[in-house]
């Protein structure tokens, strides 16, 4: 893509994610089903955190495009490195995980992840904006331009650290409220929950590797922005 076209795309994607994140954080919660929006608010859900992550990523991407357009190449190089690290380690694997895990569990038993009572609170379009559209956006980004992936060890350590932070947040909320962020977690024993978290980490790591594979297959080893 031309840099101007990329800048337009990244700007529109940033505006979209900002709008979706704003919409979910300002959803009307006068009737709070199962106290779903109490302790931690919407910030306890990986889906909502992912919206913020995507908005930040596309904001950084747009900034990189603008710097390239105005020939600030030294600054652009630093921002591009941040953009690629954000995309490879977090934006692609997390958005893929959110989409696939959500719809898999939703199909099996929606009450485990998205109780029917939420339909009265969250509009149909917003549900799909949060849980469906994130994957096409991530795939389109891979098709739009190449991204430089970090060394495998560094990438996986960063991804594992972020996963650890989120799991710690989930456990903290449970310790404070006695309620799990997702009803699914209540089905597990402590050892079963640890196995579930470990399995989820393995899945998100596989999505990291899949993104790296797609990037290499489409763009090869040498072509980078």
């Amino acid at each position: 893509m031309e840099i101007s076209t990329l800048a337009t795309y990244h700007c529109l994607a940033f505006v979209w994610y900002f709008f979706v994140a704003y919409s979910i954080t300002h959803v009307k919660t006068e009737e709070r089903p199962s106290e779903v929006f109490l302790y931690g608010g919407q910030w306890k859900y990986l889906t909502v955190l992912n919206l913020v992550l995507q908005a930040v990523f596309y904001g950084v991407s747009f900034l990189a495009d603008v710097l390239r357009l105005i020939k600030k190449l030294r600054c652009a190089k630093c921002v591009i490195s941040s953009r690629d690290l954000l995309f490879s380690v977090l934006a692609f694997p997390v958005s893929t995980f959110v989409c696939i895990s959500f719809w898999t569990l939703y199909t099996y038993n929606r009450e485990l992840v998205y109780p029917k009572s939420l339909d009265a609170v969250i509009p149909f379009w917003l549900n799909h904006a949060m849980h469906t559209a994130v994957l096409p956006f991530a795939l389109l980004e891979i098709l739009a331009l190449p991204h430089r992936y970090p060394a495998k060890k560094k990438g996986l350590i960063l991804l594992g650290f972020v996963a650890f932070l989120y799991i710690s947040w989930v456990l903290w909320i449970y310790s404070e409220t006695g309620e799990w962020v997702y009803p699914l977690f209540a089905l597990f024993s402590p050892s079963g929950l640890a196995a579930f978290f470990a399995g989820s980490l393995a899945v998100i790591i596989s999505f990291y590797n899949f993104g790296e594979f797609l990037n290499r297959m489409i763009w090869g080893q040498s072509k980078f922005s």
Side-chain angles (χ1 to χ4, degrees):
M1 280 190 188
E2 295 289 335
I3 298 177
S4 58
T5 304
L6 279 173
T8 301
Y9 163 64
H10 286 142
C11 181
L12 291 174
F14 168 74
V15 171
W16 166 252
Y17 274 113
F18 183 87
F19 168 70
V20 175
Y22 177 86
S23 297
I24 189 61
T25 54
H26 288 77
V27 70
K28 294 181 179 180
T29 57
E30 288 84 1
E31 298 180 3
R32 294 172 175 173
S34 303
E35 300 183 338
V36 74
F37 292 118
L38 293 183
Y39 191 92
Q42 290 93 333
W43 305 111
K44 58 189 173 185
Y45 299 110
L46 183 61
T47 295
V48 178
L49 296 175
N50 180 56
L51 294 176
V52 176
L53 167 65
Q54 301 302 321
V56 170
F57 164 70
Y58 282 105
V60 171
S61 297
F62 176 61
L63 176 60
D65 298 334
V66 171
L67 290 173
R68 292 172 69 196
L69 282 171
I70 63 177
K71 307 301 182 183
K72 299 289 186 179
L73 299 182
R74 182 174 297 180
C75 294
K77 184 177 180 180
C78 179
V79 177
I80 287 171
S81 296
S82 299
R83 177 201 71 189
D84 289 347
L85 189 66
L86 269 174
F87 180 76
S88 60
V89 175
L90 295 176
F92 182 84
V94 173
S95 60
T96 306
F97 180 81
V98 164
C99 179
I100 293 179
S101 63
F102 175 82
W103 288 113
T104 298
L105 292 169
Y106 184 99
T107 301
Y108 174 71
N109 181 356
R110 67 169 296 177
E111 295 299 318
L112 297 177
V113 289
Y114 194 84
K116 192 171 179 61
S117 55
L118 282 177
D119 290 343
V121 178
I122 300 177
F124 178 80
W125 72 266
L126 187 52
N127 179 23
H128 282 283
M130 294 188 298
H131 297 115
T132 307
V134 292
L135 181 54
F137 266 103
L139 293 173
L140 182 58
E141 178 66 20
I142 282 186
L143 294 172
L145 75 162
H147 296 83
R148 186 181 297 276
Y149 272 66
K152 181 64 66 72
K153 182 179 180 180
K154 177 183 177 181
L156 294 182
I157 288 175
L158 288 173
L159 179 58
F161 177 69
V162 173
F164 171 77
L165 289 179
Y166 180 68
I167 291 172
S168 298
W169 174 227
V170 168
L171 295 175
W172 171 260
I173 291 173
Y174 178 74
S175 71
E176 290 294 308
T177 67
E179 298 288 336
W180 287 110
V181 171
Y182 299 103
L184 169 69
F185 297 160
L187 301 178
F188 296 105
S189 64
S191 58
L193 189 61
F196 177 82
F197 285 147
S200 296
L201 179 59
V203 170
I204 203 169
I205 287 174
S206 73
F207 291 146
Y208 171 93
N209 290 326
F210 179 61
E212 185 177 30
F213 168 77
L214 286 180
N215 188 72
R216 189 188 318 116
M217 290 296 294
I218 295 170
W219 299 105
Q221 295 283 5
S222 59
K223 184 178 180 183
F224 293 100
S225 297

